[in-house]
Amino acid sequence: MTFITQRGGPPPMGGLSQVNGMPSADADVPRCHRDIACHAASAAAATTRRHCHRPAAAGSTWPLNLDITLGYQEAEIGELEALVSGVNQISQSTLLLKKKKEMHEVDDSLDFMKGEYKTRMEACDERQREFERRQSEMKEQVTKFEKFIQENDSKRQRAEVKLKQEKKFLHAKRLEFTKAQTDLDAAEQARTKMIEDLDKLRKYREYLERTVEMSEDNTYEEMWDLLNRYRTLKTANTQLMEQVQQGEAQIDEMRNELYTLNSAHTNHMLVQNSKIHSHQKHVEELRVANKQGADMKEKEEEGKKNESRETGQVILAIRNLYTRCLNTMHTRVAAVGMEGDNPADRLQMLDLCLKTICERIVDLNDIELMFDDFKHEHDR
C-alpha cells in the first residue's frame, strides 16, 4: 500500500509499505489485491493533496476550506472502504494503521496550510501598513508642495498666453516678410527688364553717335541736335499727314454728297413708281374685296338659314326630351310654357327644360347604379 509523506514525496521503494519504520502486515497479500488497494490509496492521497495544499486566496476562511477538504476526504474514504471491503486478504490491523497514517498526513497538511496562511496574512498586514504610510507621506508632500504647484500652473498659463501672442506676432511678421519678399521679387523683375531694355536701346545710341561723327560739314555737333532735327521732321510730317487727311476727308464728304443726291433722285423715282404700282394694286384689291363682299353676303345668308334650321332642330329635340321626362316621372311637375315673343324668355324656358332633363338623367343614373348594387348583393 502506498502512503504520502508530509512534503508529498514519493512512496518508499521495495514493494512494502512502512508505518513508523515497521513492515506492514499486507506483505503477504496477493499482488493483484495489493495493486487495487494501492490505486485506491493513491487516489485518496492525491485528492487530499489537491485540496489541502491549494494556496489560500485573499479573504478566505480556513474553517470553510477545512470542512470542504474533510468532506472530500470522507467521500474518498467511503469509496476506499467500499473498495477495500472487496479484498478479504487485508487485515483489520493493516487498515487501521493505514487510516491512522492518512489522518496523520491530513493533520500535518492542515498545520502546514495554517502556517502558510498566517505567514501570508502577516505579509498582507505589513503591505497594508506600508501602503498607509506611503499614502500619508504622499498627502504630506501634496500639502507641502500645493502652493508650488499652483504657482507653476499660473506660470504655465501665463507662458501659454505669451506663447499664443508670440505665435500671432510671428504669423503677422511672416505675412509681412512674404509681402516684402513678393515686392522685392517684383522690383527685381522690373529692374531686370529695365536692364534688358537698356541693353536693347544701347545699340541705337551707338548708331546715333556714329551718325553724328560721320555727318558732313559738321551738320550735327551733338547727338541731341540730331534728335531735335528728328523731332522737327516728325512734327512737320505729322502736320502734312493731317493736311492730307483733311483733304481726303473733304473729298470723301463731297463724294458722299454726290452719292446722296444720286440716291435721293433714284429713291424719288422709285417712290413715284411705287405709288403708281400701289394705286394699281389698290384698284385690284378693291375689285377683289367687292367680289369677296358679295361672296360673304351669300355665305352669311346661307349661314343664317342653316342656323335657323339647326336652332329649330335643337329646340324641337329639347321639347321632345322634356316631354319624355315629364311622361316618365312619377311625380307630376308643371310643364314649362314654350310660347313667348321675347328671345330672352324663350332662352330662359329652354334653360329650365335642360335643367329638368339633367336632373332626370342623374336620377336615372342613380337608379341604375342602385339596381346594379342590389343585383350584386342578390347574387351573393
Side-chain angles (χ1 to χ4, degrees), residues 301-313:
E301 292 177 354
E302 186 69 23
K304 288 180 180 180
K305 293 180 182 179
N306 293 331
E307 184 178 355
S308 299
R309 184 174 61 255
E310 290 176 357
T311 303
Q313 292 176 356

Side-chain angles (χ1 to χ4, degrees), residues 3 32 74 80 89-90 92 114 146 149 202 208 230 317 339-341 344-345:
F3 295 98
C32 62
E74 288 176 359
L80 183 61
Q89 290 79 4
I90 301 176
Q92 295 295 328
K114 286 181 178 180
E146 185 176 2
I149 293 171
R202 185 173 289 111
L208 293 175
Y230 169 74
E339 301 298 331
D341 297 332
D345 295 338

Side-chain angles (χ1 to χ4, degrees), residues 73-90:
Q73 289 178 358
E74 288 176 359
E76 294 295 335
I77 290 171
E79 294 177 359
L80 183 61
E81 287 177 355
L83 183 63
V84 171
S85 62
V87 183
N88 296 324
Q89 290 79 4
I90 301 176

Side-chain angles (χ1 to χ4, degrees), residues 322-330 332:
Y322 179 70
T323 303
R324 290 181 63 183
C325 289
L326 291 178
N327 294 328
T328 56
M329 290 175 66
H330 295 285
R332 296 299 178 182

Side-chain angles (χ1 to χ4, degrees), residues 170-322:
L170 178 61
H171 182 67
K173 289 299 181 182
R174 284 181 177 174
L175 292 177
E176 291 179 0
F177 175 75
T178 304
K179 184 177 179 181
Q181 187 68 32
T182 304
D183 295 339
L184 179 61
D185 294 338
E188 288 291 337
Q189 293 178 359
R191 178 176 174 276
T192 304
K193 189 175 182 303
M194 291 176 69
I195 292 173
E196 292 177 355
D197 294 339
L198 182 62
D199 293 336
K200 291 179 180 179
L201 296 175
R202 185 173 289 111
K203 58 184 179 181
Y204 298 108
R205 181 184 180 86
E206 294 176 356
Y207 172 75
L208 293 175
E209 290 178 353
R210 288 198 302 270
T211 303
V212 171
E213 292 177 356
M214 297 176 64
S215 62
E216 298 179 355
D217 298 332
N218 294 327
T219 306
Y220 305 107
E221 295 180 356
E222 293 181 359
M223 183 177 61
W224 296 109
D225 296 335
L226 182 59
L227 293 174
N228 292 329
R229 179 62 178 170
Y230 169 74
R231 293 190 184 95
T232 303
L233 293 175
K234 185 176 181 181
T235 303
N237 184 30
T238 303
Q239 293 176 356
L240 292 174
M241 291 297 294
E242 290 177 356
Q243 292 178 2
V244 170
Q245 290 177 359
Q246 290 176 0
E248 290 179 353
Q250 291 177 359
I251 292 171
D252 292 335
E253 185 178 358
M254 293 176 68
R255 187 180 291 111
N256 291 330
E257 289 178 358
L258 179 61
Y259 177 76
T260 303
L261 292 173
N262 292 330
S263 299
H265 179 70
T266 304
N267 292 332
H268 181 70
M269 294 297 295
L270 292 174
V271 167
Q272 295 298 325
N273 293 331
S274 177
K275 286 181 178 181
I276 294 170
H277 180 70
S278 63
H279 289 314
Q280 292 177 354
K281 186 176 181 182
H282 181 65
V283 172
E284 294 293 333
E285 288 177 354
L286 290 175
R287 292 176 182 175
V288 172
N290 188 17
K291 185 177 180 180
Q292 289 179 354
D295 296 337
M296 289 294 293
K297 186 176 181 181
E298 293 178 359
K299 289 182 179 179
E300 286 178 358
E301 292 177 354
E302 186 69 23
K304 288 180 180 180
K305 293 180 182 179
N306 293 331
E307 184 178 355
S308 299
R309 184 174 61 255
E310 290 176 357
T311 303
Q313 292 176 356
V314 169
I315 292 172
L316 183 61
I318 291 172
R319 287 180 178 179
N320 293 332
L321 289 174
Y322 179 70

